[in-house]
């Protein structure tokens, strides 16, 4: 759902082939501790706080360090359907650490090294606690390497794996990247990424970013190395293995477009894939140059209802889709394809500072997706053909949605992906545009994207940019719209009314508590 471009230093030193695959045990339900290396006196330093303070997912992350880069080395064995992996993290401590933790769930960890030395580790709940041989000083750059085995089919409370008949893909949003690789699993800690994917001949390994090289190995295997030129949040990583063909085409200004398509369905999917260049042209005219090095679609090789319970997901530079969805005519899929592309700007290039800021991603993606639809006269899911009609309908539901799902910018883990973050966010943007005018709105949107490119930004950051660029203090106006328990008056439409709340009515929830728009209820 997004794309951007920046050249950075290599994400991490590439490491060698993964070790021999090991059988995957059951997930750790109780602490498992392994002690290696030498013990050393630790007279200074404390364990890093096992949180980054997210209001929606407070258990995510560790505040004792930040990650500069990840290198993920995966070897897929189709006989066992498992992945033998090594994750190498380059981190920088924020304080003296006697212990640090990585988010990790369902990974069979075999060894951990910190700064080249074997380390003690234990897996407790969704944390991999690592005690280095020596205390790490504050502001210290160090490498952490974790060797493990993962099974994409493992039954977990939540998972980022998509199991397919010929391999796997990943969909980690919002809090499941750490079921795929150990990480500081929060969008505020963006990092560089590189990948090495070893697969048997006949399968293709693809990841976020651009292909660096493909190496033929002994035993009928090929190793594909990819590197992302832009920093990325953990939730946006894409890694896939399957019987794919990679289709290249050119987008505006020479932008490389690449689609990763099941070989058997490549011809049938071509009409949908061919829409991308025009979509990029449209969004660039409104939000500026596409921000990444490439863009494309990954209709992964599974239409199983339980493979993943949404239609599309904006994994960086390579949007994940169910193939059957893309077999529909353009007016059925065009606005959703725009929604996912807009995420290249809002959500990927500029990531949310916390998960409470999700409306910045989804509200903007729906806003531009609906504009694209209505410009073409395509009826939406309610049969409406104008933004004004849709916003009047949404406005009438405002108080009921605030009662059922909370204010737009105040979600919790249960209602995070309900319509309030999507159409509720669109309504806020529509109100802001009505207040400041279309030219000022366009200017503040571009200014926000430019200021926070390759970074994370909060709702407060957006409010500040909106006030600065529009030339008027809109902080109170936006706070009322984003955090109020009652729907404010709509600028330019004093006749619009809100339907009174029905205490006995509970609005229907999205199918997964996630990606409401992907269930065709919004666009």
């Amino acid at each position: 759902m997004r794309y951007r471009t920046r050249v950075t230093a290599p994400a991490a030193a590439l490491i060698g082939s993964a070790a021999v695959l090991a059988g995957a045990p059951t997930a750790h339900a109780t602490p498992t501790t392994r002690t290696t290396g030498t013990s050393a006196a630790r007279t200074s330093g404390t364990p890093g706080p096992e949180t980054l303070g997210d209001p929606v997912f407070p258990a995510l992350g560790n505040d004792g360090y930040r990650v500069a880069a990840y290198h993920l080395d995966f070897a897929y064995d189709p006989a066992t359907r498992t992945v033998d992996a090594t994750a190498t993290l380059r981190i920088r401590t924020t304080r003296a650490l006697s212990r640090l933790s990585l988010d990790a769930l369902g990974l069979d960890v075999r060894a951990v090294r910190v700064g080249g030395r074997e380390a003690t580790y234990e897996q407790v709940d969704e944390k991999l606690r690592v005690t280095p041989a020596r205390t790490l000083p504050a502001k210290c750059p160090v490498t952490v390497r974790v060797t493990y085995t993962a099974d994409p089919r493992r039954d977990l409370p939540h998972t980022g794996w998509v199991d397919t008949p010929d391999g796997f893909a990943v969909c980690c949003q919002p809090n499941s990247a750490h079921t795929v690789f150990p990480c500081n699993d929060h969008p505020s800690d963006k990092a560089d990424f590189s990948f090495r994917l070893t697969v048997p001949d006949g399968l293709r390994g693809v990841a976020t970013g651009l292909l660096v090289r493909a190496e033929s190995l002994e035993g009928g295997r090929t190793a594909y190395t990819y590197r992302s030129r832009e920093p990325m949040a953990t939730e946006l990583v894409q890694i896939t293995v399957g019987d794919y063909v990679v289709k290249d085409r050119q987008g505006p200004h020479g932008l490389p477009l690449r689609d990763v398509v099941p070989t058997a369905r490549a011809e049938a999917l071509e009409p949908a894939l061919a829409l991308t260049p025009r979509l990029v042209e449209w969004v660039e005219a409104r939000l500026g140059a596409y921000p990444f090095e490439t863009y494309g679609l990954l209709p992964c090789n599974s239409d199983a209802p339980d493979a993943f319970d949404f239609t599309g997901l904006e994994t960086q530079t390579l949007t994940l889709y169910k193939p059957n969805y893309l077999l529909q005519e353009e007016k059925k899929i065009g606005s959703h394809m725009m929604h996912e592309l807009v995420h290249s700007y809002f959500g990927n290039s500029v990531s949310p500072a916390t998960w409470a800021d999700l409306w910045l991603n989804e509200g903007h993606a729906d806003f531009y997706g609906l504009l694209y639809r209505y410009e073409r006269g395509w009826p939406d899911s309610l049969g409406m053909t104008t933004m004004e009609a849709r916003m009047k309908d949404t406005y009438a539901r405002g108080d009921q949605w605030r009662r059922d799902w909370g204010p737009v910018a105040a979600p919790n883990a249960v209602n995070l992906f309900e319509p309030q973050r999507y159409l509720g966010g669109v309504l806020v943007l529509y109100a802001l545009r009505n207040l400041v005018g279309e030219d000022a709105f366009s200017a503040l949107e571009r200014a926000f994207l430019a200021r926070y490119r390759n970074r994370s930004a909060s709702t407060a950051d957006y409010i500040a940019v909106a006030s600065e660029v529009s030339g008027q203090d809109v902080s109170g106006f936006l706070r009322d719209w984003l955090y109020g328990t009652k729907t404010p008056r709509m600028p330019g439409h004093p006749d619009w009314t809100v339907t009174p709340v029905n205490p006995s009515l509970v609005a229907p929830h999205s199918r997964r508590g996630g990606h409401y728009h992907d269930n065709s209820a919004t666009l």
Side-chain angles (χ1 to χ4, degrees), residues 148-163:
Y148 63 99
T149 298
D151 183 346
R153 301 164 300 166
R154 182 174 293 180
D155 186 18
L156 297 171
H158 59 95
T159 185
W161 296 98
V162 177
D163 182 42

Side-chain angles (χ1 to χ4, degrees), residues 350-374:
V350 181
S351 297
T354 74
W355 283 107
D357 302 306
L358 181 71
W359 80 274
L360 286 168
N361 302 15
E362 304 301 349
H364 277 99
D366 261 12
F367 181 84
Y368 291 100
L370 288 170
L371 286 180
Y372 187 76
R373 171 182 287 281
Y374 298 138

Side-chain angles (χ1 to χ4, degrees), residues 455-491:
R455 299 164 58 193
S456 298
S458 67
T459 298
D461 293 327
Y462 183 81
I463 292 172
V465 171
S467 293
E468 175 188 330
V469 176
S470 70
Q472 55 183 298
D473 183 359
V474 297
S475 57
F477 175 85
L478 283 175
R479 281 197 295 268
D480 286 346
W481 273 96
L482 291 165
Y483 298 106
T485 57
K486 295 291 183 181
T487 306
R489 298 293 295 272
M490 176 60 70

